[in-house]
mmCIF file of all heavy atoms in Angstrom:
data_model
loop_
_atom_site.group_PDB
_atom_site.id
_atom_site.type_symbol
_atom_site.label_atom_id
_atom_site.label_comp_id
_atom_site.label_asym_id
_atom_site.label_seq_id
_atom_site.Cartn_x
_atom_site.Cartn_y
_atom_site.Cartn_z
ATOM 1 N N LEU G 1 129.809 21.064 -62.378
ATOM 2 C CA LEU G 1 130.093 20.022 -61.419
ATOM 3 C C LEU G 1 130.247 20.598 -60.025
ATOM 4 O O LEU G 1 130.769 21.734 -59.859
ATOM 5 C CB LEU G 1 131.378 19.310 -61.808
ATOM 6 C CG LEU G 1 131.347 18.219 -62.880
ATOM 7 C CD1 LEU G 1 132.755 17.721 -63.171
ATOM 8 C CD2 LEU G 1 130.487 17.038 -62.421
ATOM 9 N N SER G 2 129.785 19.879 -59.020
ATOM 10 C CA SER G 2 129.915 20.341 -57.642
ATOM 11 C C SER G 2 131.327 20.140 -57.111
ATOM 12 O O SER G 2 131.702 20.785 -56.128
ATOM 13 C CB SER G 2 128.931 19.583 -56.756
ATOM 14 O OG SER G 2 129.134 18.225 -56.816
ATOM 15 N N HIS G 3 132.112 19.258 -57.743
ATOM 16 C CA HIS G 3 133.475 19.051 -57.364
ATOM 17 C C HIS G 3 134.220 18.430 -58.525
ATOM 18 O O HIS G 3 133.664 17.609 -59.268
ATOM 19 C CB HIS G 3 133.534 18.083 -56.133
ATOM 20 C CG HIS G 3 134.838 18.093 -55.430
ATOM 21 N ND1 HIS G 3 135.814 17.107 -55.633
ATOM 22 C CD2 HIS G 3 135.379 18.941 -54.531
ATOM 23 C CE1 HIS G 3 136.841 17.355 -54.878
ATOM 24 N NE2 HIS G 3 136.622 18.461 -54.162
ATOM 25 N N SER G 4 135.466 18.819 -58.743
ATOM 26 C CA SER G 4 136.202 18.386 -59.924
ATOM 27 C C SER G 4 136.786 16.988 -59.830
ATOM 28 O O SER G 4 137.119 16.408 -60.845
ATOM 29 C CB SER G 4 137.323 19.402 -60.258
ATOM 30 O OG SER G 4 136.753 20.612 -60.714
ATOM 31 N N SER G 5 136.954 16.432 -58.619
ATOM 32 C CA SER G 5 137.544 15.159 -58.471
ATOM 33 C C SER G 5 136.390 14.110 -58.679
ATOM 34 O O SER G 5 135.538 13.930 -57.791
ATOM 35 C CB SER G 5 138.160 14.967 -57.085
ATOM 36 O OG SER G 5 138.761 13.701 -56.936
ATOM 37 N N VAL G 6 136.434 13.413 -59.818
ATOM 38 C CA VAL G 6 135.355 12.504 -60.186
ATOM 39 C C VAL G 6 135.826 11.044 -59.979
ATOM 40 O O VAL G 6 136.800 10.640 -60.595
ATOM 41 C CB VAL G 6 134.926 12.718 -61.662
ATOM 42 C CG1 VAL G 6 133.863 11.706 -62.075
ATOM 43 C CG2 VAL G 6 134.385 14.164 -61.803
ATOM 44 N N PHE G 7 135.096 10.301 -59.152
ATOM 45 C CA PHE G 7 135.447 8.920 -58.914
ATOM 46 C C PHE G 7 134.583 7.916 -59.692
ATOM 47 O O PHE G 7 135.038 6.852 -60.069
ATOM 48 C CB PHE G 7 135.338 8.583 -57.453
ATOM 49 C CG PHE G 7 136.662 8.584 -56.733
ATOM 50 C CD1 PHE G 7 137.045 9.700 -56.008
ATOM 51 C CD2 PHE G 7 137.488 7.507 -56.811
ATOM 52 C CE1 PHE G 7 138.294 9.705 -55.373
ATOM 53 C CE2 PHE G 7 138.755 7.507 -56.199
ATOM 54 C CZ PHE G 7 139.136 8.617 -55.457
ATOM 55 N N SER G 8 133.309 8.237 -59.922
ATOM 56 C CA SER G 8 132.398 7.278 -60.558
ATOM 57 C C SER G 8 131.579 7.946 -61.651
ATOM 58 O O SER G 8 131.147 9.091 -61.508
ATOM 59 C CB SER G 8 131.486 6.626 -59.514
ATOM 60 O OG SER G 8 130.903 7.595 -58.688
ATOM 61 N N VAL G 9 131.361 7.217 -62.768
ATOM 62 C CA VAL G 9 130.531 7.672 -63.861
ATOM 63 C C VAL G 9 129.604 6.548 -64.262
ATOM 64 O O VAL G 9 130.066 5.382 -64.418
ATOM 65 C CB VAL G 9 131.416 8.092 -65.082
ATOM 66 C CG1 VAL G 9 130.491 8.687 -66.166
ATOM 67 C CG2 VAL G 9 132.445 9.141 -64.681
ATOM 68 N N TYR G 10 128.333 6.850 -64.457
ATOM 69 C CA TYR G 10 127.397 5.800 -64.825
ATOM 70 C C TYR G 10 126.324 6.398 -65.712
ATOM 71 O O TYR G 10 125.831 7.520 -65.486
ATOM 72 C CB TYR G 10 126.723 5.188 -63.554
ATOM 73 C CG TYR G 10 125.875 3.992 -63.851
ATOM 74 C CD1 TYR G 10 126.410 2.691 -63.889
ATOM 75 C CD2 TYR G 10 124.527 4.100 -64.102
ATOM 76 C CE1 TYR G 10 125.640 1.574 -64.149
ATOM 77 C CE2 TYR G 10 123.710 2.977 -64.336
ATOM 78 C CZ TYR G 10 124.302 1.724 -64.360
ATOM 79 O OH TYR G 10 123.531 0.660 -64.657
ATOM 80 N N ILE G 11 125.888 5.678 -66.773
ATOM 81 C CA ILE G 11 124.850 6.115 -67.669
ATOM 82 C C ILE G 11 123.658 5.182 -67.485
ATOM 83 O O ILE G 11 123.756 3.970 -67.646
ATOM 84 C CB ILE G 11 125.299 6.135 -69.119
ATOM 85 C CG1 ILE G 11 126.490 7.088 -69.279
ATOM 86 C CG2 ILE G 11 124.143 6.521 -70.061
ATOM 87 C CD1 ILE G 11 127.046 7.189 -70.646
ATOM 88 N N ASP G 12 122.488 5.738 -67.080
ATOM 89 C CA ASP G 12 121.341 4.902 -66.754
ATOM 90 C C ASP G 12 120.498 4.613 -68.003
ATOM 91 O O ASP G 12 120.873 4.956 -69.129
ATOM 92 C CB ASP G 12 120.492 5.561 -65.663
ATOM 93 C CG ASP G 12 119.761 6.790 -66.104
ATOM 94 O OD1 ASP G 12 119.680 7.076 -67.312
ATOM 95 O OD2 ASP G 12 119.264 7.578 -65.213
ATOM 96 N N ALA G 13 119.365 3.973 -67.818
ATOM 97 C CA ALA G 13 118.542 3.518 -68.915
ATOM 98 C C ALA G 13 117.935 4.660 -69.723
ATOM 99 O O ALA G 13 117.497 4.477 -70.853
ATOM 100 C CB ALA G 13 117.429 2.611 -68.377
ATOM 101 N N GLN G 14 117.843 5.837 -69.149
ATOM 102 C CA GLN G 14 117.288 7.013 -69.831
ATOM 103 C C GLN G 14 118.364 7.921 -70.391
ATOM 104 O O GLN G 14 118.127 9.086 -70.685
ATOM 105 C CB GLN G 14 116.397 7.786 -68.863
ATOM 106 C CG GLN G 14 115.148 7.004 -68.485
ATOM 107 C CD GLN G 14 114.237 7.832 -67.555
ATOM 108 O OE1 GLN G 14 114.764 8.517 -66.683
ATOM 109 N NE2 GLN G 14 112.946 7.737 -67.750
ATOM 110 N N GLU G 15 119.630 7.381 -70.486
ATOM 111 C CA GLU G 15 120.771 8.128 -70.993
ATOM 112 C C GLU G 15 121.214 9.281 -70.122
ATOM 113 O O GLU G 15 121.914 10.179 -70.572
ATOM 114 C CB GLU G 15 120.495 8.648 -72.452
ATOM 115 C CG GLU G 15 120.276 7.569 -73.460
ATOM 116 C CD GLU G 15 121.525 6.738 -73.728
ATOM 117 O OE1 GLU G 15 122.639 7.295 -73.674
ATOM 118 O OE2 GLU G 15 121.390 5.515 -73.931
ATOM 119 N N THR G 16 120.738 9.292 -68.871
ATOM 120 C CA THR G 16 121.245 10.301 -67.930
ATOM 121 C C THR G 16 122.599 9.892 -67.415
ATOM 122 O O THR G 16 122.791 8.726 -67.093
ATOM 123 C CB THR G 16 120.271 10.439 -66.748
ATOM 124 O OG1 THR G 16 119.014 10.865 -67.232
ATOM 125 C CG2 THR G 16 120.777 11.453 -65.726
ATOM 126 N N ILE G 17 123.527 10.840 -67.345
ATOM 127 C CA ILE G 17 124.865 10.550 -66.883
ATOM 128 C C ILE G 17 124.940 10.979 -65.412
ATOM 129 O O ILE G 17 124.688 12.148 -65.073
ATOM 130 C CB ILE G 17 125.949 11.307 -67.723
ATOM 131 C CG1 ILE G 17 125.860 10.812 -69.163
ATOM 132 C CG2 ILE G 17 127.317 11.103 -67.113
ATOM 133 C CD1 ILE G 17 126.874 11.486 -70.051
ATOM 134 N N TRP G 18 125.301 10.012 -64.558
ATOM 135 C CA TRP G 18 125.453 10.256 -63.148
ATOM 136 C C TRP G 18 126.956 10.312 -62.803
ATOM 137 O O TRP G 18 127.719 9.453 -63.248
ATOM 138 C CB TRP G 18 124.817 9.122 -62.320
ATOM 139 C CG TRP G 18 123.320 9.013 -62.516
ATOM 140 C CD1 TRP G 18 122.658 8.486 -63.589
ATOM 141 C CD2 TRP G 18 122.300 9.534 -61.631
ATOM 142 N NE1 TRP G 18 121.280 8.590 -63.389
ATOM 143 C CE2 TRP G 18 121.079 9.217 -62.203
ATOM 144 C CE3 TRP G 18 122.319 10.180 -60.404
ATOM 145 C CZ2 TRP G 18 119.851 9.547 -61.629
ATOM 146 C CZ3 TRP G 18 121.154 10.523 -59.779
ATOM 147 C CH2 TRP G 18 119.902 10.207 -60.382
ATOM 148 N N VAL G 19 127.366 11.298 -62.087
ATOM 149 C CA VAL G 19 128.769 11.548 -61.773
ATOM 150 C C VAL G 19 128.959 11.624 -60.293
ATOM 151 O O VAL G 19 128.385 12.467 -59.608
ATOM 152 C CB VAL G 19 129.247 12.895 -62.420
ATOM 153 C CG1 VAL G 19 130.736 13.112 -62.183
ATOM 154 C CG2 VAL G 19 128.951 12.868 -63.923
ATOM 155 N N GLY G 20 129.747 10.667 -59.738
ATOM 156 C CA GLY G 20 130.036 10.673 -58.324
ATOM 157 C C GLY G 20 131.366 11.374 -58.062
ATOM 158 O O GLY G 20 132.360 11.019 -58.684
ATOM 159 N N THR G 21 131.381 12.386 -57.170
ATOM 160 C CA THR G 21 132.573 13.133 -56.906
ATOM 161 C C THR G 21 133.152 12.755 -55.534
ATOM 162 O O THR G 21 132.544 12.113 -54.717
ATOM 163 C CB THR G 21 132.288 14.633 -56.932
ATOM 164 O OG1 THR G 21 131.439 14.975 -55.805
ATOM 165 C CG2 THR G 21 131.548 15.050 -58.220
ATOM 166 N N TYR G 22 134.392 13.233 -55.327
ATOM 167 C CA TYR G 22 135.042 12.905 -54.044
ATOM 168 C C TYR G 22 134.538 13.735 -52.889
ATOM 169 O O TYR G 22 134.505 13.278 -51.747
ATOM 170 C CB TYR G 22 136.564 13.118 -54.219
ATOM 171 C CG TYR G 22 137.298 12.743 -52.941
ATOM 172 C CD1 TYR G 22 137.477 11.402 -52.577
ATOM 173 C CD2 TYR G 22 137.839 13.713 -52.103
ATOM 174 C CE1 TYR G 22 138.138 11.046 -51.423
ATOM 175 C CE2 TYR G 22 138.512 13.337 -50.928
ATOM 176 C CZ TYR G 22 138.642 12.026 -50.633
ATOM 177 O OH TYR G 22 139.332 11.662 -49.442
ATOM 178 N N TYR G 23 134.116 14.980 -53.186
ATOM 179 C CA TYR G 23 133.660 15.823 -52.053
ATOM 180 C C TYR G 23 132.469 16.665 -52.436
ATOM 181 O O TYR G 23 132.208 17.691 -51.842
ATOM 182 C CB TYR G 23 134.821 16.710 -51.555
ATOM 183 C CG TYR G 23 134.626 17.153 -50.103
ATOM 184 C CD1 TYR G 23 134.810 16.253 -49.067
ATOM 185 C CD2 TYR G 23 134.284 18.482 -49.847
ATOM 186 C CE1 TYR G 23 134.638 16.638 -47.774
ATOM 187 C CE2 TYR G 23 134.084 18.900 -48.515
ATOM 188 C CZ TYR G 23 134.270 17.971 -47.506
ATOM 189 O OH TYR G 23 134.103 18.384 -46.195
ATOM 190 N N GLY G 24 131.703 16.241 -53.460
ATOM 191 C CA GLY G 24 130.572 17.013 -53.875
ATOM 192 C C GLY G 24 129.300 16.235 -54.100
ATOM 193 O O GLY G 24 128.357 16.684 -54.713
ATOM 194 N N GLY G 25 129.271 15.022 -53.577
ATOM 195 C CA GLY G 25 128.078 14.177 -53.749
ATOM 196 C C GLY G 25 127.899 13.700 -55.190
ATOM 197 O O GLY G 25 128.862 13.526 -55.919
ATOM 198 N N VAL G 26 126.634 13.548 -55.585
ATOM 199 C CA VAL G 26 126.307 13.046 -56.916
ATOM 200 C C VAL G 26 125.779 14.156 -57.777
ATOM 201 O O VAL G 26 124.933 14.958 -57.364
ATOM 202 C CB VAL G 26 125.262 11.917 -56.835
ATOM 203 C CG1 VAL G 26 124.940 11.380 -58.222
ATOM 204 C CG2 VAL G 26 125.749 10.790 -55.965
ATOM 205 N N ASN G 27 126.272 14.249 -59.032
ATOM 206 C CA ASN G 27 125.736 15.163 -60.056
ATOM 207 C C ASN G 27 125.086 14.333 -61.145
ATOM 208 O O ASN G 27 125.551 13.220 -61.425
ATOM 209 C CB ASN G 27 126.837 16.010 -60.655
ATOM 210 C CG ASN G 27 127.539 16.898 -59.641
ATOM 211 O OD1 ASN G 27 127.515 18.078 -59.765
ATOM 212 N ND2 ASN G 27 128.192 16.299 -58.642
ATOM 213 N N TYR G 28 124.039 14.845 -61.784
ATOM 214 C CA TYR G 28 123.532 14.148 -62.963
ATOM 215 C C TYR G 28 123.144 15.161 -64.024
ATOM 216 O O TYR G 28 122.790 16.286 -63.707
ATOM 217 C CB TYR G 28 122.353 13.223 -62.594
ATOM 218 C CG TYR G 28 121.069 13.968 -62.120
ATOM 219 C CD1 TYR G 28 120.105 14.317 -63.034
ATOM 220 C CD2 TYR G 28 120.887 14.196 -60.765
ATOM 221 C CE1 TYR G 28 118.959 14.966 -62.583
ATOM 222 C CE2 TYR G 28 119.741 14.821 -60.325
ATOM 223 C CZ TYR G 28 118.780 15.204 -61.248
ATOM 224 O OH TYR G 28 117.611 15.843 -60.817
ATOM 225 N N PHE G 29 123.252 14.725 -65.274
ATOM 226 C CA PHE G 29 122.872 15.601 -66.404
ATOM 227 C C PHE G 29 122.615 14.729 -67.611
ATOM 228 O O PHE G 29 122.917 13.528 -67.593
ATOM 229 C CB PHE G 29 123.989 16.627 -66.691
ATOM 230 C CG PHE G 29 125.216 16.041 -67.312
ATOM 231 C CD1 PHE G 29 125.493 16.156 -68.672
ATOM 232 C CD2 PHE G 29 126.145 15.379 -66.507
ATOM 233 C CE1 PHE G 29 126.642 15.611 -69.214
ATOM 234 C CE2 PHE G 29 127.303 14.844 -67.081
ATOM 235 C CZ PHE G 29 127.527 14.954 -68.411
ATOM 236 N N ASN G 30 122.030 15.323 -68.640
ATOM 237 C CA ASN G 30 121.756 14.600 -69.864
ATOM 238 C C ASN G 30 122.656 15.110 -70.956
ATOM 239 O O ASN G 30 122.689 16.306 -71.276
ATOM 240 C CB ASN G 30 120.290 14.777 -70.258
ATOM 241 C CG ASN G 30 119.850 13.728 -71.278
ATOM 242 O OD1 ASN G 30 120.443 13.613 -72.352
ATOM 243 N ND2 ASN G 30 118.853 12.936 -70.935
ATOM 244 N N ALA G 31 123.408 14.163 -71.536
ATOM 245 C CA ALA G 31 124.440 14.555 -72.534
ATOM 246 C C ALA G 31 123.812 15.131 -73.826
ATOM 247 O O ALA G 31 124.505 15.766 -74.596
ATOM 248 C CB ALA G 31 125.273 13.335 -72.907
ATOM 249 N N GLU G 32 122.483 14.874 -74.031
ATOM 250 C CA GLU G 32 121.826 15.443 -75.249
ATOM 251 C C GLU G 32 122.036 16.951 -75.300
ATOM 252 O O GLU G 32 122.101 17.530 -76.372
ATOM 253 C CB GLU G 32 120.328 15.079 -75.199
ATOM 254 C CG GLU G 32 120.045 13.601 -75.326
ATOM 255 C CD GLU G 32 120.056 13.139 -76.773
ATOM 256 O OE1 GLU G 32 120.230 13.993 -77.673
ATOM 257 O OE2 GLU G 32 119.936 11.943 -77.008
ATOM 258 N N ARG G 33 122.042 17.599 -74.141
ATOM 259 C CA ARG G 33 122.171 19.022 -74.115
ATOM 260 C C ARG G 33 123.498 19.505 -74.729
ATOM 261 O O ARG G 33 123.634 20.634 -75.186
ATOM 262 C CB ARG G 33 122.018 19.572 -72.703
ATOM 263 C CG ARG G 33 120.656 19.303 -72.125
ATOM 264 C CD ARG G 33 120.564 19.838 -70.700
ATOM 265 N NE ARG G 33 119.244 19.565 -70.133
ATOM 266 C CZ ARG G 33 118.919 19.853 -68.904
ATOM 267 N NH1 ARG G 33 119.782 20.478 -68.098
ATOM 268 N NH2 ARG G 33 117.727 19.553 -68.445
ATOM 269 N N GLU G 34 124.510 18.643 -74.701
ATOM 270 C CA GLU G 34 125.796 19.012 -75.242
ATOM 271 C C GLU G 34 125.751 19.116 -76.753
ATOM 272 O O GLU G 34 126.647 19.724 -77.355
ATOM 273 C CB GLU G 34 126.839 17.992 -74.799
ATOM 274 C CG GLU G 34 127.080 17.969 -73.343
ATOM 275 C CD GLU G 34 127.630 19.310 -72.845
ATOM 276 O OE1 GLU G 34 128.486 19.911 -73.476
ATOM 277 O OE2 GLU G 34 127.123 19.763 -71.808
ATOM 278 N N ILE G 35 124.779 18.471 -77.414
ATOM 279 C CA ILE G 35 124.742 18.489 -78.871
ATOM 280 C C ILE G 35 123.444 19.140 -79.348
ATOM 281 O O ILE G 35 123.006 18.965 -80.459
ATOM 282 C CB ILE G 35 124.876 17.093 -79.474
ATOM 283 C CG1 ILE G 35 123.764 16.134 -78.927
ATOM 284 C CG2 ILE G 35 126.216 16.500 -79.171
ATOM 285 C CD1 ILE G 35 123.583 14.930 -79.764
ATOM 286 N N PHE G 36 122.799 19.877 -78.444
ATOM 287 C CA PHE G 36 121.485 20.474 -78.763
ATOM 288 C C PHE G 36 121.670 21.581 -79.742
ATOM 289 O O PHE G 36 122.491 22.463 -79.553
ATOM 290 C CB PHE G 36 120.826 20.963 -77.522
ATOM 291 C CG PHE G 36 119.302 20.794 -77.538
ATOM 292 C CD1 PHE G 36 118.717 19.667 -76.963
ATOM 293 C CD2 PHE G 36 118.520 21.737 -78.119
ATOM 294 C CE1 PHE G 36 117.361 19.487 -76.980
ATOM 295 C CE2 PHE G 36 117.172 21.551 -78.097
ATOM 296 C CZ PHE G 36 116.570 20.453 -77.576
ATOM 297 N N ALA G 37 120.847 21.625 -80.774
ATOM 298 C CA ALA G 37 120.878 22.706 -81.746
ATOM 299 C C ALA G 37 119.492 23.365 -81.796
ATOM 300 O O ALA G 37 118.452 22.695 -81.673
ATOM 301 C CB ALA G 37 121.187 22.195 -83.151
ATOM 302 N N HIS G 38 119.483 24.693 -81.832
ATOM 303 C CA HIS G 38 118.206 25.421 -81.870
ATOM 304 C C HIS G 38 117.928 25.859 -83.308
ATOM 305 O O HIS G 38 118.758 26.517 -83.958
ATOM 306 C CB HIS G 38 118.297 26.680 -80.982
ATOM 307 C CG HIS G 38 117.077 27.559 -81.071
ATOM 308 N ND1 HIS G 38 117.138 28.879 -81.325
ATOM 309 C CD2 HIS G 38 115.783 27.232 -80.941
ATOM 310 C CE1 HIS G 38 115.902 29.385 -81.359
ATOM 311 N NE2 HIS G 38 115.067 28.378 -81.103
ATOM 312 N N TYR G 39 116.797 25.435 -83.808
ATOM 313 C CA TYR G 39 116.397 25.796 -85.171
ATOM 314 C C TYR G 39 115.331 26.873 -85.107
ATOM 315 O O TYR G 39 114.182 26.637 -84.710
ATOM 316 C CB TYR G 39 115.857 24.555 -85.915
ATOM 317 C CG TYR G 39 116.914 23.493 -86.111
ATOM 318 C CD1 TYR G 39 117.005 22.442 -85.170
ATOM 319 C CD2 TYR G 39 117.793 23.522 -87.147
ATOM 320 C CE1 TYR G 39 118.002 21.478 -85.352
ATOM 321 C CE2 TYR G 39 118.779 22.560 -87.335
ATOM 322 C CZ TYR G 39 118.867 21.526 -86.431
ATOM 323 O OH TYR G 39 119.817 20.568 -86.577
ATOM 324 N N THR G 40 115.695 28.088 -85.468
ATOM 325 C CA THR G 40 114.797 29.204 -85.426
ATOM 326 C C THR G 40 113.942 29.192 -86.685
ATOM 327 O O THR G 40 114.125 28.358 -87.590
ATOM 328 C CB THR G 40 115.555 30.513 -85.284
ATOM 329 O OG1 THR G 40 114.633 31.613 -85.101
ATOM 330 C CG2 THR G 40 116.410 30.773 -86.508
ATOM 331 N N ASP G 41 113.033 30.152 -86.815
ATOM 332 C CA ASP G 41 112.158 30.219 -88.003
ATOM 333 C C ASP G 41 112.625 31.368 -88.921
ATOM 334 O O ASP G 41 112.772 32.518 -88.463
ATOM 335 C CB ASP G 41 110.717 30.401 -87.635
ATOM 336 C CG ASP G 41 110.441 31.681 -86.839
ATOM 337 O OD1 ASP G 41 111.053 31.843 -85.771
ATOM 338 O OD2 ASP G 41 109.642 32.490 -87.310
#
């Protein structure tokens, strides 16, 4: 996160999470990465 003070949270149609901060502008990320598993061979 660009700033820890978070004022707004929104999830768009593509499941991207947008995070509005008090002094760091807007951050966005995809929550799928939080549960991503790598399957090796």
Side-chain angles (χ1 to χ4, degrees):
L1 278 175
S2 59
H3 195 261
S4 290
S5 181
V6 176
F7 259 99
S8 49
V9 184
Y10 187 87
I11 300 180
D12 69 15
Q14 293 181 321
E15 297 293 325
T16 298
I17 298 180
W18 297 79
V19 182
T21 68
Y22 182 72
Y23 204 72
V26 181
N27 299 241
Y28 67 91
F29 71 102
N30 198 301
E32 293 279 355
R33 296 181 182 177
E34 294 299 315
I35 58 164
F36 215 94
H38 176 232
Y39 296 94
T40 186
D41 61 300

